Amino acid sequence: VVIGGCIGQRDGEDLIKKLSHVDVVFGTFNLASLPRLIEQALLTGDHEVEVLSEATDFPTDLPTERESKWSAWLPISIGCNNFCSYCIVPYVRGREKSRPMEDIVADAESLKADGVKEITLLGQNVNSYGRDLYGEPRFADLLRSIAATGVERIRFATSHPKDLNDDVIKAFGELDNLMPALHLPVQSGSNSILKAMHRRYTREHYLDTIKKLREVRPDIALSTDIIVGFPGETEEDFQQTYLVKEVGYTQAFTFIYSKREGTPAARIEDDTPKEVIQERFERLVNLVQDRALEVNQAEVGKVVSVLVEGASKRDETVLMGR
Ligand code: SF4
């Protein structure tokens, strides 16, 4: 049994004390050591724990086996500087570190030469890409350089609404191979909850960004993440998240707030009953689904190009693609 990633990074040796059946624990920065750790554990029959305090390699330095011949993930940065009050990532993955633009473009070129049609650029907050290397965010420049390789489809994840600047919005209007799709986590529609979450944007700023995006790319499909039941969220705050109706997401990932020890939000007291949060959550899921159905039904009858990824997981007789 192996535990790796954020929790391995945070708890290290303590995990073995709590869970004696765990064989190997590794952190966020030493995925490359995993084969060696497993081998040692098998040889010695002992627990192996390795947690490095900082990244030495990017995940791209590891050998790769792709699930699909046509699509590839391409990491552009790791870590995060944002410290949203509920999130453990900056503590366990460290500060944002960008890869040099030439390296990413070279990777994109070789992926394209290998027959990859769709590249998804990956980072905790792609929009601030390059700030640590070039003194200012250069994500729009990176998008233009990747687009210039001629790869058919470009996507990216994840965006932070406070860093999605006008230059990136402009790129959506300019680049045909940048797919008209954006995942923009809103988390809450209430300004006071956004403040408590330390998200550093307002509801108005978020909606304004969506408006600008739709001006340059009317067909853009939007998806989001939402947390229900953040400590202190009132019914009025919750109803502000009805902005999902206004935005019209094609998909929304909704979560009930869950406490992460070691984060500032974990110290906020809240006595909202669980049933109240559950009821709000269900109300939101219904709102999101009803609206997504309307948005998706508007696509019926249109002819669009789809990269088929294979049979649908739910129904083998149906093909799935984006
Ligand atoms: Fe960074 Fe995202 Fe976590 Fe906020 S939620 S601290 S942006 S990783």
Side-chain angles (χ1 to χ4, degrees):
V1 177
V2 177
I3 297 186
C6 295
I7 299 303
Q9 185 75 25
R10 190 189 65 185
D11 294 351
E13 197 75 48
D14 288 349
L15 281 171
I16 303 282
K17 286 183 202 141
K18 278 189 264 180
L19 308 164
S20 59
H21 58 289
V22 171
D23 303 295
V24 174
V25 176
F26 68 100
T28 40
F29 303 126
N30 54 320
L31 180 60
S33 316
L34 183 59
R36 176 174 50 78
L37 294 171
I38 291 177
E39 231 161 67
Q40 276 171 3
L42 286 173
L43 267 177
T44 61
D46 219 349
H47 309 287
E48 296 293 330
V49 178
E50 190 181 285
V51 176
L52 302 177
S53 58
E54 104 176 73
T56 45
D57 303 304
F58 270 93
T60 41
D61 298 332
L62 299 176
T64 306
E65 192 174 313
R66 274 175 231 297
E67 203 181 328
S68 150
K69 250 167 88 179
W70 316 114
S71 311
W73 298 96
L74 179 49
I76 65 167
S77 61
I78 48 175
C80 183
N81 293 350
N82 282 320
F83 293 94
C84 301
S85 64
Y86 51 83
C87 179
I88 193 87
V89 164
Y91 305 96
V92 291
R93 296 209 183 161
R95 300 300 142 87
E96 186 173 276
K97 230 171 149 185
S98 306
R99 297 179 66 208
M101 202 176 300
E102 319 75 86
D103 293 4
I104 304 170
V105 174
D107 281 354
E109 273 162 355
S110 66
L111 287 169
K112 181 174 177 266
D114 274 355
V116 166
K117 295 190 182 300
E118 180 172 83
I119 294 180
T120 304
L121 305 175
L122 208 56
Q124 224 75 53
N125 175 15
V126 290
N127 302 114
S128 61
Y129 164 79
R131 198 178 273 151
D132 53 321
L133 291 181
Y134 310 110
E136 55 175 9
R138 296 276 303 275
F139 185 56
D141 294 343
L142 178 67
L143 284 175
R144 291 187 182 100
S145 306
I146 304 281
T149 65
V151 65
E152 278 180 42
R153 294 168 160 243
I154 305 165
R155 298 177 182 275
F156 57 82
T158 301
S159 282
H160 194 303
K162 82 173 163 54
D163 292 314
L164 187 90
N165 62 27
D166 288 348
D167 205 13
V168 175
I169 295 175
K170 210 167 130 210
F172 269 105
E174 283 168 10
L175 308 172
D176 288 339
N177 44 1
L178 180 57
M179 289 295 97
L182 178 69
H183 183 70
L184 197 59
V186 65
Q187 307 299 9
S188 167
S190 150
N191 281 338
S192 62
I193 295 298
L194 287 171
K195 197 164 174 211
M197 288 176 165
H198 200 231
R199 290 289 286 175
R200 293 189 283 161
Y201 55 84
T202 58
R203 168 197 178 84
E204 293 73 25
H205 175 86
Y206 185 90
L207 290 172
D208 191 47
T209 305
I210 302 284
K211 190 167 156 252
K212 287 188 202 163
L213 279 160
R214 288 212 161 114
E215 273 162 22
V216 298
R217 200 77 180 247
D219 61 341
I220 196 159
L222 298 160
S223 56
T224 199
D225 296 330
I226 300 167
I227 298 172
V228 178
F230 187 81
E233 185 181 60
T234 62
E235 176 61 28
E236 289 72 41
D237 289 319
F238 172 69
Q239 287 190 15
Q240 293 287 305
T241 306
Y242 286 7
L243 63 57
V244 296
K245 289 202 273 190
E246 199 172 331
V247 175
Y249 297 104
T250 49
Q251 203 178 13
F253 300 92
T254 39
F255 305 92
I256 290 184
Y257 170 77
S258 107
K259 197 196 245 190
R260 295 281 176 275
E261 290 306 336
T263 59
R267 296 194 294 270
I268 310 176
E269 296 290 334
D270 187 33
D271 54 8
T272 313
K274 271 197 180 131
E275 312 78 71
V276 171
I277 295 175
Q278 183 65 34
E279 186 279 325
R280 286 180 192 157
F281 175 76
E282 284 163 20
R283 221 186 312 157
L284 185 68
V285 169
N286 287 335
L287 268 181
V288 162
Q289 285 180 347
D290 289 352
R291 189 71 179 94
L293 184 63
E294 278 171 21
V295 174
N296 289 327
Q297 263 169 349
E299 299 299 305
V300 174
K302 284 189 194 164
V303 176
V304 293
S305 116
V306 174
L307 180 61
V308 177
E309 292 173 12
S312 152
K313 283 185 187 130
R314 287 192 205 141
D315 179 352
E316 277 188 17
T317 63
V318 174
L319 289 176
M320 203 276 291
R322 289 186 291 177

